Amino acid sequence: MTGLRRSLAFSFIERYAASLINLAMTAALARLMSPDEIGVFVIGGTVVLLGEVLRDFGASAYLIQAREVTSDGVRTTFTMTFILSALIAATLLATAGPIAAFYGDPRLAPVLKITTAGFMLGPFINPVLALLRRSMAFDKVALINTIGGCANFAAAVGLALAGFGYRSLAMAYVVATLAT
């Protein structure tokens, strides 16, 4: 198989493996947790997802699309991503209480605080994944993301079975980020 076909095949595998893992996790958690508990994480996860969008700020696209990537460029990208992550994480931690109050659910504050730990690992992951995508090493990207997805699934289901309820998904996010 040629390099391009191989890369496309692994990109396809990654996308659909992630979808299948998430579908299985959703089905399992729907039996283990109440919709109310899942909803708490969905709100908190959405807030953190907005932070992830702001954090990337084109850094991954730069690393993938630049004509030439130097070690200085990679270090600068990491530094900027880390600084943005720290600022966003500090904002999330400072506003966890007010966000929970806005939604009228105090359980949201610990979810935001837990997911912030996983969020802070992003600067160590995103540049590496971008460089792998740049070199079309989609087999490695697929493996890394599949391992992260499996870790998320195992942690979420295990923690839900252990009785961690609404915190299960937040802690599983941290575990998945560590695995990635």
Side-chain angles (χ1 to χ4, degrees):
M1 191 181 312
T2 66
L4 179 59
R5 286 186 186 153
R6 186 172 189 271
S7 294
L8 288 173
F10 276 107
S11 180
F12 176 84
I13 289 167
E14 174 198 4
R15 174 163 298 203
Y16 290 101
S19 294
L20 287 173
I21 291 166
N22 284 331
L23 179 63
M25 183 175 72
T26 301
L29 291 176
R31 305 290 293 160
L32 297 171
M33 297 171 63
S34 70
D36 182 57
E37 291 176 311
I38 293 171
V40 171
F41 175 75
V42 169
I43 293 169
T46 302
V47 171
V48 173
L49 181 62
L50 290 172
E52 287 189 14
V53 170
L54 291 172
R55 172 192 46 214
D56 186 50
F57 203 63
S60 295
Y62 162 74
L63 288 174
I64 293 169
Q65 297 175 6
R67 285 201 193 280
E68 183 180 330
V69 177
T70 65
S71 59
D72 283 343
V74 173
R75 283 194 299 269
T76 301
T77 302
F78 168 80
T79 302
M80 292 307 299
T81 304
F82 186 82
I83 290 169
L84 279 171
S85 294
L87 291 171
I88 293 168
T91 303
L92 284 171
L93 291 173
T95 60
I99 291 171
F102 175 78
Y103 283 100
D105 195 333
R107 298 174 300 172
L108 191 53
V111 166
L112 289 169
K113 291 175 181 177
I114 293 167
T115 54
T116 299
F119 178 82
M120 277 308 298
L121 295 170
F124 300 95
I125 299 168
N126 295 347
V128 174
L129 289 175
L131 291 171
L132 287 171
R133 285 186 178 98
R134 176 186 175 86
S135 64
M136 294 184 65
F138 293 113
D139 55 339
K140 291 179 176 99
V141 172
L143 179 62
I144 290 166
N145 287 334
T146 301
I147 288 170
C150 289
N152 190 37
F153 174 88
V157 171
L159 290 164
L161 284 169
F164 284 89
Y166 67 93
R167 296 178 311 264
S168 301
L169 287 162
M171 291 187 284
Y173 169 74
V174 176
V175 169
T177 307
L178 284 168
T180 300

